[in-house]
Amino acid sequence: MTPYFIRQLIIHTICNVTGAAPIEVTALDWVELNTRDWEQVFSRLEATLDIQTGMLTSIERSFSIEKLMHMLHARVTHNIVI
C-alpha cells in the first residue's frame, strides 16, 4: 500500500465524515475535528487498514494529513505478515 493511497484514503474518510469537499480538506495545513468526527475518522481508518493507531483515545483533535499519512504507512507496512 503506497503512501499516496493512504493519503487519498485519509482525505476520502474526512470528507465522508464531515461532508467537506476534498479541495477544502487538502487546502488545510492542520485538520481540526470535533470529538464525534475524530472518533468516526479514526475508527474508520483503523478498520479499513486493520491497525490500531491509539488516536481514538488521544485528547488532541487536530493533525497534519502528511504526518498522519506517514504514520499510518509505517503502521501498515510493519503489520504485514508474510
Side-chain angles (χ1 to χ4, degrees), residues 1 5 9 13 41-51:
M1 187 170 303
F5 176 83
L9 177 64
T13 304
V41 166
F42 282 96
S43 64
R44 290 178 188 198
L45 288 172
E46 287 181 356
T48 301
L49 298 171
D50 194 27
I51 59 171

Side-chain angles (χ1 to χ4, degrees), residues 35 38-39 42 53-62:
T35 300
W38 180 270
E39 291 170 353
F42 282 96
T53 63
M55 299 296 283
L56 282 170
T57 58
S58 173
I59 57 172
E60 183 67 35
R61 296 290 183 250
S62 63

Side-chain angles (χ1 to χ4, degrees), residues 7-71:
R7 182 177 188 280
Q8 293 303 104
L9 177 64
I10 294 167
I11 294 166
H12 175 78
T13 304
I14 293 167
C15 292
N16 278 340
V17 169
T18 66
I23 196 152
E24 294 172 20
V25 173
T26 57
L28 300 171
D29 288 331
W30 284 89
V31 176
E32 293 187 36
L33 301 171
N34 63 39
T35 300
R36 182 196 156 282
D37 290 347
W38 180 270
E39 291 170 353
Q40 285 291 313
V41 166
F42 282 96
S43 64
R44 290 178 188 198
L45 288 172
E46 287 181 356
T48 301
L49 298 171
D50 194 27
I51 59 171
Q52 289 186 335
T53 63
M55 299 296 283
L56 282 170
T57 58
S58 173
I59 57 172
E60 183 67 35
R61 296 290 183 250
S62 63
F63 58 90
S64 158
I65 292 174
E66 294 301 312
K67 288 182 181 180
L68 179 60
M69 172 193 68
H70 291 295
M71 187 267 289

